[in-house]
Amino acid sequence: MAITTHEHGGHGDHGHDHEGAVGPHTHLTSVGIDIGSSTSHLMFSRLLIGYPSVLQRKPIVLERNVIARSPILLTPFSGDWNIEAGPLRELVDATFHEAGLSRADIDTGAVIITGEAARRDNAAKIAELFADESGKFVCATAGPTLETIMAAHGSGAVLESRAQGATLLNIDIGGGTTKVSIIDNGRIIATTALNIGARLVAYNGADEIVRLETGGRRFLAALGENLGVGGKVDEELRARLARRMAQALFAALLSDHSPWDDFYVTAGLGPLPKIDGVLFSGGVSEYIYARETNSFGDLGADLGREIRSVAEKRGLNILEAGEGIRATVIGASQYTVQLSGETIFVPESMELPVRNLRVFVVQADWQAPVAERVAAAVAKTLGTRDPEVRGMPFALAFSTPAFVGYGSVRDMAEGIDRAFAALASDDRPVALVFGQNVGQVVGGMLSSKWNMPCIDEITLSELDFIDVGEVVPEEGFVPVVIKSLAFGV
């Protein structure tokens, strides 16, 4: 498979025209590297950063164009099932070379390890190995929730939902897990992940099992087959296995039925709203949409055929996805620098800057009782974090309507205080970020207990990582570098 390239200019170009945009804008070159449980690949993109109108002075991604895609590599694992760095390094180096790019040409990027690969002992070291431009890269081990969000954006499901004003399902079927999101009018309202994947059972040319995950054993046992590594999975058994997986997937989604206790990786979706359509992404989607016919020693082809069949029989409206296997290849991370408001709070004992804080967003409002509702919202957000990211430094961002008075803001601070008091120290954030100019009030109330800066007038999403810089002398604000996982908008 050849590397696909498109014409690109040099990185950091300035002053290019863009219809509808005003003022100066900049081109950035970005790279995304996705190391997954089945496949690994990378993608180069050219991002146009600028202002959409004279009324909006916040820079955004105006345009995103792919300029090169690597071949798809089966993720290399060693005998102890750790990730092998050598073949991945060769893929990265070859793709840079054939795309005509050097490390110096890259402005920003992301290295993401997903699925079963994220659970390997050396996952973090592998990510760090490829994020050698440490000041320019987001480097993350993505648990199933973040991976689900990435897939929903990368497949085009979020954009399609927003454009149609529709409620859609995005079903991302990979090698180790299947990730599902409900998207309503362009907003992801629920996610789940299930133990269904093409490489839960993998085999060689003699139909002998060479890889068998726990979920694969469960499905085989459900068919009355007690097989292990070295056992035979012929064509007929593979078809039965895929059919069982497809039926279990839609029974779980449409009827909330789970065949065994640990079938769900994360909490189920519960009753579904009326669904206007479904999009598929992940490696198996290439078979669902008949874009791939080759077999790679796994259940991909059988699973794709069976999933499409069951979806059609259940009357689901199958929509075309913009991306399939590459949906979770991140278009690298997008650097935008925002300046906080001047009403921030930074404890004297707090050392800035702090870097690479994963963002978790709390949806809050000002309805009474504010303190109780905010405490519950904080607990809910922190309770949904994937185990893979527990213990890592993070920022907690609050999304609220325009505030209605400082009495309500003080109640919000009380709710935050209650929520933090119930948490272990490793589960508390490093920083708080607010869209409204309430940082100083909240920080002043929390300062006696919690040593964390409260930054305001910054808008963040669940796909962001941030760096918080030092307070600008004599100005009272801080620069915040937002490294967003960039998707087409």
Side-chain angles (χ1 to χ4, degrees), residues 28 47 61 107-112 131 133-140 146 150 330-338 353-359 458-469 480-487:
L28 300 179
L47 306 177
V61 177
D107 298 293
T108 184
V111 181
I112 304 293
E133 298 290 331
S134 60
K136 297 181 179 180
F137 282 81
V138 174
C139 178
L146 177 58
M150 291 191 295
I330 313 310
S333 59
Q334 153 204 336
Y335 268 80
T336 61
V337 178
Q338 294 188 34
V354 291
R355 295 188 173 90
N356 287 332
L357 301 180
R358 166 83 183 275
V359 172
I458 298 288
T459 302
L460 299 172
S461 77
E462 293 88 350
L463 295 175
D464 293 337
F465 291 74
I466 63 171
D467 298 343
V468 180
V480 179
V481 176
I482 303 174
K483 295 177 276 192
S484 305
L485 304 180
F487 298 97

Side-chain angles (χ1 to χ4, degrees), residues 77 129 174 270 332 382 485:
F77 293 101
L129 174 65
L382 297 184
L485 304 180

Side-chain angles (χ1 to χ4, degrees), residues 154-157 170 278-281 285 289 291 318-324 327:
S155 70
N170 190 78
V278 57
L279 294 87
F280 295 96
S281 58
S285 73
Y289 293 115
R291 295 189 290 238
I318 300 176
L319 305 176
E320 191 73 19
E323 289 285 353

Side-chain angles (χ1 to χ4, degrees), residues 145-146 149 187-189 191 266-267 358-365 372-387 389-390 394-400 412 415-416 419-420 423 427-429 431-433 460-463:
T145 302
L146 177 58
I149 293 170
R187 187 170 66 91
I188 298 172
I189 60 174
T191 66
T266 58
R358 166 83 183 275
V359 172
F360 293 91
V361 178
V362 176
Q363 301 289 340
D365 56 44
E372 291 180 15
R373 291 172 63 86
V374 168
V378 170
K380 178 181 177 181
T381 296
L382 297 184
T384 60
R385 289 176 301 153
D386 295 319
V389 301
R390 294 287 177 93
F394 68 96
L396 199 60
F398 289 81
S399 176
T400 61
M412 168 185 269
I416 295 171
F420 288 178
L423 297 172
D427 284 332
R428 296 181 196 126
L432 303 182
V433 184
L460 299 172
S461 77
E462 293 88 350
L463 295 175

Side-chain angles (χ1 to χ4, degrees), residues 220-475:
L220 283 168
L223 296 175
E225 302 288 347
N226 183 22
L227 299 176
V229 173
K232 289 271 192 175
V233 282
D234 60 19
E235 185 176 348
E236 187 269 340
L237 179 53
R238 295 197 297 270
R240 290 171 56 210
L241 192 55
R243 191 174 306 118
R244 184 71 178 224
M245 286 184 177
Q247 292 168 347
L249 171 62
F250 287 103
L253 296 181
L254 302 179
S255 307
D256 202 24
H257 171 73
S258 175
W260 52 76
D261 290 343
D262 58 353
F263 180 64
Y264 284 99
V265 180
T266 58
L269 295 173
L272 292 182
K274 180 181 179 298
I275 299 298
D276 299 306
V278 57
L279 294 87
F280 295 96
S281 58
V284 174
S285 73
E286 300 298 326
Y287 298 101
I288 293 174
Y289 293 115
R291 295 189 290 238
E292 180 62 77
T293 58
N294 293 321
S295 175
F296 298 94
D298 57 33
L299 302 175
D302 297 283
L303 191 54
R305 181 181 62 251
E306 293 296 337
I307 283 177
R308 175 141 201 150
S309 174
V310 175
E312 289 174 344
K313 288 177 181 176
R314 288 181 174 264
L316 293 172
N317 178 26
I318 300 176
L319 305 176
E320 191 73 19
E323 289 285 353
I325 192 171
R326 299 182 189 270
T328 53
V329 172
I330 313 310
S333 59
Q334 153 204 336
Y335 268 80
T336 61
V337 178
Q338 294 188 34
L339 296 178
S340 74
E342 296 180 355
T343 54
I344 66 172
F345 178 86
V346 179
E348 292 183 2
S349 58
M350 182 74 191
E351 292 188 8
L352 296 176
V354 291
R355 295 188 173 90
N356 287 332
L357 301 180
R358 166 83 183 275
V359 172
F360 293 91
V361 178
V362 176
Q363 301 289 340
D365 56 44
W366 306 111
Q367 295 182 38
V370 175
E372 291 180 15
R373 291 172 63 86
V374 168
V378 170
K380 178 181 177 181
T381 296
L382 297 184
T384 60
R385 289 176 301 153
D386 295 319
E388 291 84 354
V389 301
R390 294 287 177 93
M392 297 180 181
F394 68 96
L396 199 60
F398 289 81
S399 176
T400 61
F403 71 90
V404 294
Y406 284 101
S408 295
V409 175
R410 287 192 291 270
D411 290 341
M412 168 185 269
E414 182 183 339
I416 295 171
D417 177 61
R418 289 184 194 174
F420 288 178
L423 297 172
S425 58
D426 286 349
D427 284 332
R428 296 181 196 126
V430 172
L432 303 182
V433 184
F434 303 90
Q436 311 294 327
N437 60 337
V438 300
Q440 199 167 68
V441 175
V442 175
M445 290 190 65
L446 299 179
S447 61
S448 61
K449 287 187 180 179
W450 317 116
N451 183 46
M452 60 185 68
C454 294
I455 311 302
D456 62 22
E457 297 192 73
I458 298 288
T459 302
L460 299 172
S461 77
E462 293 88 350
L463 295 175
D464 293 337
F465 291 74
I466 63 171
D467 298 343
V468 180
E470 297 178 357
V471 177
V472 177
E474 301 180 3
E475 298 292 344

Side-chain angles (χ1 to χ4, degrees), residues 22 51-58:
V22 297
Y51 304 94
S53 73
V54 293
L55 301 177
Q56 183 171 333
R57 302 309 300 164
K58 175 186 175 183

